[in-house]
Amino acid sequence: MKIRSRPLKTRLQLIGQYAAHYGVLCAIAVICVFPFWWTLVTAISTEGNIFAFPPTFWPKAPSLENFVEVFNAIPIWSFFKNSVLIAVFTVFWKLLLCSLAAYPLARLKFRGRKLVFGLILATLVLPSEVNFLVNFITITQMSLVDTYTGVILPNVVTAVAILLLKQAFEEVPQDLIDAARVDGASEWVIFSRIMLPLITPWLATVGILTAVESWNEYIWPSIVMSKPDEFPLSVGVLYLRGTFGSSTRVVAAGTLITIVPTLLAFLFTQRFFMRGMDGAVK
Amino acid sequence: MKPVHRRTLQAWLFLTPALLLLAAFSFWPVGYGSVLAFTDYSLIRETRFVGLDNFRYIFNNEMFVSGLKNSLLFLLMVPFVQIGAISLAVLVNNRLPGIRLFRAAFYVPVVTTVSVVGIMWGFMFHEQGALNYVMMTLKLVNAPVGWLSNDSLALFAVMFVTLWRGLGWYMVMYLAALQSIPSDMQEAAMLDGANRWQRFWKITVPMLRPTIMLCSILSVLAALKAYQEVDVLTQGGPMNSTFTALYYAYDQGLKHLKLPRALAASFVVSLFCIGIALLCLRYLKPKHR
């Protein structure tokens, strides 16, 4: 912005505009981020009353005491491992099965293609929020209650992932596929050796989105897993609140342990999130 | 085998695992669930069809009826979410220094698990919490307010948290749409002497129309189906004032093991969703040029 080259009045006006712009941005940012900040302050402070007027918005006598307390109070380390386990397997199976499904939809002409595509789109408008009621019956009948397979299975195939990967496959130039076919490569070889490596950035996008989604999922794992030792973090953190309701500082510390991995993943891979949305809209 | 048939077979082999899982966990629950809503299904006895009994029960049940009303009340949020998200997207659609940081800040609530959101806003809404302090300092209220314990306020507190969680998601949708508007259109309008306000209404809004339609429908459906925030903030209380229709389904199905009632409730919500989505499609359809 070439502010200097303009007359004083316009210059002041411009500066005023920027100040107002940043003012509004900061105000909204505070509303979005403040609960996190306050939780952090509560978790690392060890002195004073949390709920008092005026509240402490800056850490007092900071230490990691409360975090140590979390480790003593609940098996948070196994919660953490459980969350990682669920996320890793969900990502693996989703990438495998959804790219397998997306490839023929993008690149093969076959009978029933439109029908399958329509069915996959239809799942987007189905009222899926309460699927867990019947899915729990299904999981029970498959004897998968209290297993991670039970938590993972319903989340492996999603329409959004198939659509994103389908779009990725469509962007690969046809020449590459034709050349491989001329050389006598089978569809499987074309898929696994040529197509998959070419769409790695999209696989990464779907992978990171899925990992965060899986990490954050709360209702379904809380239904499937009944033994506290086997909870993932998102469920375990509420269990912590239920068990040690009085010790707010410890709950705040547990909360931070739960969200730090997703926050880091998000901050370092922001563009994946923006791109994932972009693709989903198309 | 003919090559055409072979290719069809191959394609179906690629698709089968994904389709099986979709059938089992996306289609089956909707179909089977709709059937069970008309039965007295339970694990301990033979299942019988009971016609509309479950529906009669829930419509005579105060918790469900007030829950359904609350779910409809949630629709009030839709314009706030959409106008808020569009404004945010316009505010961050530039290259000012630090703008990526602001985008990230607005999106952070979206990547936070709902259980943590419940805990954090539980702190915020506490009678001696930060929100009451700020409100009292600004002289907006005289005495601490029980945001989650007052039965006429709790629902609005829950609605606010849903808004807080959703805003960033829609912002990114609008941001993507804004960035796909060709900049020469704006420049041409600028040369013609259109001011910022005119450019926003005459170019930006019409170009955003499809996105506005999509996001509004998604937001309406999300509002009707809200229940997770209720679970982590109030569990339906105080005095059942924050029950939503789906929270009733969740509560009956999982905590009281009355599955048919729960499914009947979710069936009713689905009908509302379908109806409203059709209405939206009809009246918000992009004009043909």
Side-chain angles (χ1 to χ4, degrees):
Chain A
M1 316 292 153
K2 291 168 219 137
I3 293 180
R4 290 231 178 93
S5 59
R6 300 187 189 181
L8 182 66
K9 199 181 157 204
T10 354
R11 238 156 77 189
L12 285 178
Q13 252 178 5
L14 267 179
I15 292 173
Q17 266 177 21
Y18 283 127
H21 197 134
Y22 275 111
V24 175
L25 286 176
C26 287
I28 304 167
V30 165
I31 298 173
C32 288
V33 175
F34 182 75
F36 295 92
W37 171 251
W38 204 34
T39 309
L40 175 71
V41 171
T42 307
I44 61 175
S45 306
T46 48
E47 267 175 24
N49 200 342
I50 305 154
F51 298 116
F53 289 160
T56 27
F57 292 144
W58 201 254
K60 251 186 207 165
S63 90
L64 294 177
E65 212 173 277
N66 299 312
F67 291 89
V68 176
E69 195 55 42
V70 174
F71 279 85
N72 293 334
I74 50 168
I76 193 133
W77 186 234
S78 18
F79 291 175
F80 192 88
K81 277 191 291 192
N82 298 338
S83 279
V84 171
L85 200 74
I86 295 173
V88 166
F89 279 97
T90 310
V91 169
F92 173 79
W93 286 108
K94 182 182 266 187
L95 290 183
L96 181 68
L97 297 189
C98 290
S99 55
L100 270 175
Y103 173 63
L105 288 174
R107 286 316 190 130
L108 298 179
K109 301 247 178 311
F110 62 96
R111 231 175 263 173
R113 183 165 166 269
K114 274 194 179 146
L115 175 79
V116 172
F117 191 58
L119 281 177
I120 289 169
L121 280 183
T123 61
L124 286 176
V125 290
L126 287 179
S128 57
E129 266 69 11
V130 281
N131 280 358
F132 62 79
L133 292 169
V134 175
N135 281 348
F136 188 65
I137 304 179
T138 312
I139 291 289
T140 313
Q141 281 164 349
M142 296 165 92
S143 320
L144 290 175
V145 177
D146 278 328
T147 66
Y148 295 124
T149 316
V151 176
I152 293 163
L153 219 46
N155 293 328
V156 166
V157 180
T158 59
V160 174
I162 296 181
L163 294 180
L164 278 174
L165 293 172
K166 174 178 174 279
Q167 207 193 322
F169 282 126
E170 279 165 355
E171 282 170 9
V172 176
Q174 182 65 32
D175 298 355
L176 283 173
I177 303 175
D178 290 341
R181 287 218 179 106
V182 169
D183 289 346
S186 68
E187 283 308 325
W188 173 252
V189 169
I190 294 176
F191 169 78
S192 59
R193 296 281 167 77
I194 299 172
M195 296 301 264
L196 276 190
L198 284 173
I199 63 157
T200 316
W202 285 96
L203 291 174
T205 305
V206 175
I208 193 89
L209 290 177
T210 306
V212 168
E213 240 167 60
S214 154
W215 192 276
N216 286 344
E217 208 190 11
Y218 157 67
I219 297 276
W220 178 244
S222 77
I223 297 169
V224 178
M225 308 309 285
S226 61
K227 299 190 191 100
D229 278 2
E230 296 171 351
F231 286 161
L233 270 175
S234 56
V235 181
V237 74
L238 268 194
Y239 173 73
L240 176 68
R241 181 171 75 170
T243 328
F244 297 87
S246 51
S247 178
T248 311
R249 294 200 189 282
V250 177
V251 176
T255 304
L256 280 182
I257 298 175
T258 308
I259 54 176
V260 160
T262 44
L263 290 188
L264 288 181
F266 166 65
L267 290 177
F268 284 109
T269 58
Q270 248 195 79
R271 64 204 165 87
F272 286 110
F273 286 80
M274 309 293 163
R275 180 160 66 182
M277 302 276 275
D278 229 10
V281 179
K282 291 170 195 158
Chain B
M1 222 186 322
K2 276 190 204 163
V4 184
H5 291 163
R6 214 187 58 181
R7 215 172 308 140
T8 300
L9 182 72
Q10 276 171 337
W12 283 97
L13 279 178
F14 273 87
L15 280 161
T16 305
L19 288 182
L20 280 179
L21 281 175
L22 273 187
F25 295 108
S26 297
F27 288 103
W28 178 247
V30 176
Y32 188 52
S34 308
V35 174
L36 286 186
F38 296 89
T39 69
D40 64 349
Y41 178 89
S42 94
L43 291 168
I44 44 171
R45 33 183 177 75
E46 198 86 344
T47 305
R48 289 178 301 129
F49 273 96
V50 293
L52 293 173
D53 279 8
N54 296 318
F55 293 90
R56 240 172 256 137
Y57 177 88
I58 58 170
F59 275 107
N60 285 317
N61 181 300
E62 226 238 300
M63 254 171 3
F64 175 72
V65 175
S66 68
L68 194 57
K69 278 184 202 148
N70 287 342
S71 288
L72 294 174
L73 214 55
F74 258 77
L75 292 176
L76 283 179
M77 247 173 34
V78 173
F80 289 101
V81 175
Q82 297 311 314
I83 293 171
I86 295 174
S87 321
L88 274 190
V90 171
L91 281 174
V92 298
N93 184 27
N94 51 48
R95 292 178 190 281
L96 292 179
I99 207 71
R100 277 171 57 94
L101 211 62
F102 283 106
R103 283 183 201 165
F106 301 156
Y107 198 76
V108 155
V110 182
V111 291
T112 306
T113 172
V114 69
S115 51
V116 163
V117 170
I119 292 174
M120 289 195 311
W121 279 97
F123 297 164
M124 296 291 291
F125 284 136
H126 193 281
E127 295 225 4
Q128 308 285 311
L131 185 63
N132 273 326
Y133 175 72
V134 172
M135 294 292 243
M136 282 167 72
T137 314
L138 298 175
K139 304 270 182 232
L140 290 170
V141 294
N142 293 321
V145 177
W147 299 102
L148 294 176
S149 54
N150 180 329
D151 58 347
S152 50
L153 282 178
L155 184 72
F156 294 99
V158 174
M159 281 166 66
F160 175 78
V161 173
T162 339
L163 180 137
W164 180 82
R165 263 189 93 206
L167 214 52
W169 195 85
Y170 292 106
M171 173 196 81
V172 173
M173 296 280 271
Y174 286 118
L175 188 59
L178 282 176
Q179 289 179 342
S180 67
I181 298 178
S183 57
D184 42 348
M185 271 176 99
Q186 300 276 12
E187 280 154 20
M190 222 173 345
L191 287 179
D192 289 344
N195 65 30
R196 222 179 245 204
W197 193 244
Q198 285 168 327
R199 274 180 281 147
F200 178 74
W201 284 107
K202 300 284 176 186
I203 296 175
T204 311
V205 171
M207 293 294 283
L208 282 184
R209 213 183 148 96
T211 316
I212 295 177
M213 185 178 82
L214 177 72
C215 288
S216 303
I217 294 179
L218 289 177
S219 170
V220 163
L221 296 181
L224 283 174
K225 294 174 178 176
Y227 76 95
Q228 298 200 10
E229 287 85 357
V230 177
D231 187 44
V232 294
L233 281 165
T234 61
Q235 306 228 311
M239 297 200 294
N240 298 338
S241 63
T242 52
F243 259 80
T244 61
L246 276 198
Y247 187 70
Y248 175 83
Y250 173 77
D251 184 63
Q252 288 293 309
L254 285 168
K255 297 184 180 158
H256 301 276
L257 300 176
K258 303 282 186 207
L259 204 62
R261 268 177 216 169
L263 288 167
S266 74
F267 191 86
V268 172
V269 176
S270 305
L271 287 186
F272 266 93
C273 289
I274 295 166
I276 289 181
L278 288 179
L279 271 180
C280 290
L281 280 177
R282 203 186 150 95
Y283 289 105
L284 290 170
K285 205 183 268 175
K287 282 175 205 144
H288 290 289
R289 281 165 211 125

Short mmCIF file of all heavy atoms in Angstrom, two decimals, chain A residues 17-51:
data_model
loop_
_atom_site.label_atom_id
_atom_site.label_comp_id
_atom_site.label_asym_id
_atom_site.label_seq_id
_atom_site.Cartn_x
_atom_site.Cartn_y
_atom_site.Cartn_z
N GLN A 17 -8.88 3.62 8.35
CA GLN A 17 -9.56 2.41 7.84
C GLN A 17 -8.86 1.14 8.30
O GLN A 17 -9.49 0.19 8.75
CB GLN A 17 -9.57 2.44 6.32
CG GLN A 17 -10.84 3.04 5.74
CD GLN A 17 -10.78 3.12 4.23
OE1 GLN A 17 -10.01 2.39 3.61
NE2 GLN A 17 -11.60 3.98 3.66
N TYR A 18 -7.50 1.15 8.16
CA TYR A 18 -6.76 -0.04 8.57
C TYR A 18 -6.94 -0.29 10.06
O TYR A 18 -7.12 -1.43 10.51
CB TYR A 18 -5.27 0.10 8.24
CG TYR A 18 -4.99 -0.13 6.79
CD1 TYR A 18 -4.29 0.80 6.04
CD2 TYR A 18 -5.46 -1.28 6.17
CE1 TYR A 18 -4.04 0.59 4.69
CE2 TYR A 18 -5.23 -1.49 4.82
CZ TYR A 18 -4.51 -0.55 4.09
OH TYR A 18 -4.28 -0.77 2.76
N ALA A 19 -6.88 0.80 10.84
CA ALA A 19 -7.01 0.64 12.29
C ALA A 19 -8.37 0.02 12.62
O ALA A 19 -8.46 -0.92 13.41
CB ALA A 19 -6.86 1.98 12.98
N ALA A 20 -9.41 0.52 11.96
CA ALA A 20 -10.76 -0.01 12.21
C ALA A 20 -10.82 -1.48 11.82
O ALA A 20 -11.34 -2.33 12.55
CB ALA A 20 -11.79 0.79 11.45
N HIS A 21 -10.25 -1.80 10.64
CA HIS A 21 -10.24 -3.17 10.14
C HIS A 21 -9.58 -4.11 11.16
O HIS A 21 -10.15 -5.11 11.57
CB HIS A 21 -9.47 -3.19 8.82
CG HIS A 21 -9.70 -4.42 8.01
ND1 HIS A 21 -9.94 -4.38 6.66
CD2 HIS A 21 -9.70 -5.72 8.34
CE1 HIS A 21 -10.10 -5.61 6.20
NE2 HIS A 21 -9.96 -6.45 7.20
N TYR A 22 -8.35 -3.72 11.59
CA TYR A 22 -7.64 -4.56 12.55
C TYR A 22 -8.38 -4.61 13.89
O TYR A 22 -8.38 -5.63 14.56
CB TYR A 22 -6.21 -4.07 12.75
CG TYR A 22 -5.25 -4.62 11.73
CD1 TYR A 22 -4.69 -3.79 10.77
CD2 TYR A 22 -4.93 -5.97 11.73
CE1 TYR A 22 -3.81 -4.30 9.82
CE2 TYR A 22 -4.06 -6.48 10.79
CZ TYR A 22 -3.50 -5.65 9.83
OH TYR A 22 -2.65 -6.16 8.91
N GLY A 23 -9.01 -3.49 14.25
CA GLY A 23 -9.76 -3.46 15.50
C GLY A 23 -10.85 -4.52 15.52
O GLY A 23 -10.96 -5.32 16.46
N VAL A 24 -11.63 -4.56 14.42
CA VAL A 24 -12.71 -5.55 14.34
C VAL A 24 -12.13 -6.96 14.35
O VAL A 24 -12.60 -7.84 15.08
CB VAL A 24 -13.56 -5.32 13.06
CG1 VAL A 24 -14.59 -6.41 12.91
CG2 VAL A 24 -14.21 -3.95 13.11
N LEU A 25 -11.08 -7.18 13.54
CA LEU A 25 -10.45 -8.50 13.48
C LEU A 25 -10.00 -8.96 14.87
O LEU A 25 -10.24 -10.10 15.27
CB LEU A 25 -9.25 -8.49 12.53
CG LEU A 25 -9.55 -8.45 11.03
CD1 LEU A 25 -8.26 -8.34 10.25
CD2 LEU A 25 -10.30 -9.71 10.60
N CYS A 26 -9.35 -8.03 15.59
CA CYS A 26 -8.84 -8.40 16.91
C CYS A 26 -9.98 -8.73 17.87
O CYS A 26 -9.91 -9.71 18.61
CB CYS A 26 -8.00 -7.27 17.50
SG CYS A 26 -6.40 -7.10 16.71
N ALA A 27 -11.05 -7.93 17.83
CA ALA A 27 -12.17 -8.17 18.73
C ALA A 27 -12.73 -9.57 18.51
O ALA A 27 -12.96 -10.33 19.46
CB ALA A 27 -13.26 -7.12 18.51
N ILE A 28 -12.93 -9.96 17.23
CA ILE A 28 -13.51 -11.29 16.97
C ILE A 28 -12.51 -12.37 17.34
O ILE A 28 -12.89 -13.41 17.90
CB ILE A 28 -13.93 -11.41 15.49
CG1 ILE A 28 -14.89 -10.28 15.14
CG2 ILE A 28 -14.61 -12.74 15.24
CD1 ILE A 28 -15.13 -10.12 13.67
N ALA A 29 -11.22 -12.11 17.05
CA ALA A 29 -10.21 -13.11 17.39
C ALA A 29 -10.20 -13.37 18.89
O ALA A 29 -10.06 -14.51 19.33
CB ALA A 29 -8.83 -12.65 16.91
N VAL A 30 -10.38 -12.31 19.68
CA VAL A 30 -10.40 -12.48 21.14
C VAL A 30 -11.55 -13.40 21.54
O VAL A 30 -11.38 -14.33 22.34
CB VAL A 30 -10.51 -11.11 21.85
CG1 VAL A 30 -10.90 -11.29 23.31
CG2 VAL A 30 -9.19 -10.37 21.75
N ILE A 31 -12.74 -13.17 20.93
CA ILE A 31 -13.90 -14.02 21.27
C ILE A 31 -13.61 -15.48 20.91
O ILE A 31 -13.96 -16.41 21.64
CB ILE A 31 -15.17 -13.53 20.55
CG1 ILE A 31 -15.50 -12.11 21.02
CG2 ILE A 31 -16.35 -14.47 20.80
CD1 ILE A 31 -16.63 -11.47 20.26
N CYS A 32 -12.93 -15.69 19.77
CA CYS A 32 -12.65 -17.06 19.34
C CYS A 32 -11.60 -17.74 20.21
O CYS A 32 -11.68 -18.94 20.46
CB CYS A 32 -12.16 -17.07 17.88
SG CYS A 32 -13.46 -16.70 16.72
N VAL A 33 -10.59 -16.99 20.63
CA VAL A 33 -9.42 -17.61 21.24
C VAL A 33 -9.44 -17.52 22.76
O VAL A 33 -8.82 -18.32 23.44
CB VAL A 33 -8.13 -16.97 20.66
CG1 VAL A 33 -6.90 -17.50 21.35
CG2 VAL A 33 -8.07 -17.23 19.17
N PHE A 34 -10.22 -16.55 23.30
CA PHE A 34 -10.15 -16.34 24.74
C PHE A 34 -10.41 -17.60 25.58
O PHE A 34 -9.66 -17.86 26.52
CB PHE A 34 -11.07 -15.21 25.19
CG PHE A 34 -10.96 -14.97 26.65
CD1 PHE A 34 -9.86 -14.32 27.18
CD2 PHE A 34 -11.92 -15.47 27.53
CE1 PHE A 34 -9.72 -14.15 28.53
CE2 PHE A 34 -11.79 -15.30 28.89
CZ PHE A 34 -10.68 -14.64 29.39
N PRO A 35 -11.45 -18.40 25.27
CA PRO A 35 -11.65 -19.60 26.10
C PRO A 35 -10.42 -20.49 26.18
O PRO A 35 -10.13 -21.07 27.23
CB PRO A 35 -12.81 -20.32 25.40
CG PRO A 35 -13.53 -19.25 24.70
CD PRO A 35 -12.50 -18.26 24.25
N PHE A 36 -9.67 -20.58 25.07
CA PHE A 36 -8.45 -21.39 25.08
C PHE A 36 -7.41 -20.76 26.01
O PHE A 36 -6.76 -21.44 26.79
CB PHE A 36 -7.86 -21.49 23.66
CG PHE A 36 -8.74 -22.21 22.71
CD1 PHE A 36 -9.66 -21.54 21.93
CD2 PHE A 36 -8.67 -23.59 22.57
CE1 PHE A 36 -10.48 -22.21 21.04
CE2 PHE A 36 -9.48 -24.27 21.70
CZ PHE A 36 -10.40 -23.57 20.93
N TRP A 37 -7.25 -19.44 25.89
CA TRP A 37 -6.28 -18.73 26.71
C TRP A 37 -6.60 -18.92 28.19
O TRP A 37 -5.74 -19.25 28.99
CB TRP A 37 -6.26 -17.25 26.34
CG TRP A 37 -5.44 -16.42 27.28
CD1 TRP A 37 -5.90 -15.52 28.19
CD2 TRP A 37 -4.03 -16.43 27.42
NE1 TRP A 37 -4.86 -14.98 28.89
CE2 TRP A 37 -3.69 -15.52 28.45
CE3 TRP A 37 -3.00 -17.15 26.80
CZ2 TRP A 37 -2.39 -15.30 28.85
CZ3 TRP A 37 -1.70 -16.93 27.21
CH2 TRP A 37 -1.39 -16.01 28.23
N TRP A 38 -7.87 -18.76 28.54
CA TRP A 38 -8.25 -18.85 29.95
C TRP A 38 -8.02 -20.26 30.49
O TRP A 38 -7.59 -20.46 31.61
CB TRP A 38 -9.70 -18.40 30.13
CG TRP A 38 -9.97 -17.93 31.52
CD1 TRP A 38 -9.09 -17.27 32.34
CD2 TRP A 38 -11.16 -18.12 32.27
NE1 TRP A 38 -9.68 -17.01 33.54
CE2 TRP A 38 -10.96 -17.52 33.54
CE3 TRP A 38 -12.39 -18.72 32.00
CZ2 TRP A 38 -11.93 -17.52 34.53
CZ3 TRP A 38 -13.36 -18.70 32.99
CH2 TRP A 38 -13.13 -18.11 34.24
N THR A 39 -8.30 -21.25 29.64
CA THR A 39 -8.05 -22.63 30.03
C THR A 39 -6.56 -22.84 30.28
O THR A 39 -6.16 -23.49 31.26
CB THR A 39 -8.55 -23.60 28.95
OG1 THR A 39 -9.90 -23.25 28.62
CG2 THR A 39 -8.51 -25.03 29.41
N LEU A 40 -5.73 -22.26 29.41
CA LEU A 40 -4.28 -22.38 29.57
C LEU A 40 -3.84 -21.73 30.88
O LEU A 40 -3.09 -22.34 31.66
CB LEU A 40 -3.58 -21.71 28.38
CG LEU A 40 -2.05 -21.65 28.46
CD1 LEU A 40 -1.46 -23.04 28.28
CD2 LEU A 40 -1.49 -20.71 27.41
N VAL A 41 -4.34 -20.51 31.14
CA VAL A 41 -3.97 -19.82 32.37
C VAL A 41 -4.38 -20.66 33.58
O VAL A 41 -3.61 -20.83 34.52
CB VAL A 41 -4.65 -18.43 32.42
CG1 VAL A 41 -4.46 -17.79 33.79
CG2 VAL A 41 -4.08 -17.53 31.34
N THR A 42 -5.61 -21.19 33.54
CA THR A 42 -6.10 -22.01 34.65
C THR A 42 -5.22 -23.24 34.85
O THR A 42 -4.91 -23.62 35.97
CB THR A 42 -7.54 -22.46 34.37
OG1 THR A 42 -8.32 -21.31 34.07
CG2 THR A 42 -8.13 -23.18 35.56
N ALA A 43 -4.78 -23.84 33.74
CA ALA A 43 -4.03 -25.09 33.84
C ALA A 43 -2.63 -24.89 34.37
O ALA A 43 -2.12 -25.75 35.08
CB ALA A 43 -3.98 -25.77 32.47
N ILE A 44 -1.99 -23.76 34.03
CA ILE A 44 -0.60 -23.61 34.48
C ILE A 44 -0.47 -22.79 35.76
O ILE A 44 0.62 -22.69 36.31
CB ILE A 44 0.33 -23.05 33.38
CG1 ILE A 44 -0.13 -21.66 32.94
CG2 ILE A 44 0.43 -23.99 32.19
CD1 ILE A 44 0.84 -21.04 31.96
N SER A 45 -1.56 -22.20 36.23
CA SER A 45 -1.48 -21.47 37.50
C SER A 45 -1.68 -22.43 38.65
O SER A 45 -2.34 -23.46 38.50
CB SER A 45 -2.55 -20.40 37.58
OG SER A 45 -2.49 -19.56 36.48
N THR A 46 -1.13 -22.09 39.80
CA THR A 46 -1.32 -22.96 40.96
C THR A 46 -1.85 -22.19 42.16
O THR A 46 -2.16 -22.78 43.18
CB THR A 46 0.00 -23.64 41.37
OG1 THR A 46 1.02 -22.65 41.40
CG2 THR A 46 0.37 -24.73 40.39
N GLU A 47 -1.95 -20.86 42.03
CA GLU A 47 -2.38 -20.07 43.18
C GLU A 47 -3.65 -19.31 42.88
O GLU A 47 -3.94 -18.99 41.73
CB GLU A 47 -1.28 -19.05 43.54
CG GLU A 47 -0.33 -19.57 44.59
CD GLU A 47 0.79 -18.58 44.81
OE1 GLU A 47 0.61 -17.39 44.53
OE2 GLU A 47 1.86 -19.04 45.27
N GLY A 48 -4.39 -19.01 43.93
CA GLY A 48 -5.57 -18.15 43.79
C GLY A 48 -6.80 -18.93 43.36
O GLY A 48 -6.73 -20.09 42.97
N ASN A 49 -7.92 -18.23 43.46
CA ASN A 49 -9.20 -18.83 43.11
C ASN A 49 -9.47 -18.62 41.63
O ASN A 49 -9.27 -17.54 41.10
CB ASN A 49 -10.29 -18.17 43.96
CG ASN A 49 -11.52 -19.03 44.04
OD1 ASN A 49 -11.68 -19.94 43.21
ND2 ASN A 49 -12.37 -18.76 45.00
N ILE A 50 -9.91 -19.69 40.93
CA ILE A 50 -10.17 -19.55 39.50
C ILE A 50 -11.40 -18.69 39.28
O ILE A 50 -11.42 -17.77 38.48
CB ILE A 50 -10.41 -20.92 38.85
CG1 ILE A 50 -9.24 -21.83 39.15
CG2 ILE A 50 -10.63 -20.77 37.37
CD1 ILE A 50 -9.62 -23.28 39.13
N PHE A 51 -12.46 -19.03 40.02
CA PHE A 51 -13.72 -18.33 39.83
C PHE A 51 -13.85 -17.25 40.89
O PHE A 51 -14.35 -17.48 41.97
CB PHE A 51 -14.90 -19.29 39.88
CG PHE A 51 -14.83 -20.33 38.80
CD1 PHE A 51 -14.69 -21.66 39.11
CD2 PHE A 51 -14.90 -19.96 37.48
CE1 PHE A 51 -14.62 -22.62 38.11
CE2 PHE A 51 -14.84 -20.91 36.46
CZ PHE A 51 -14.70 -22.23 36.78
#
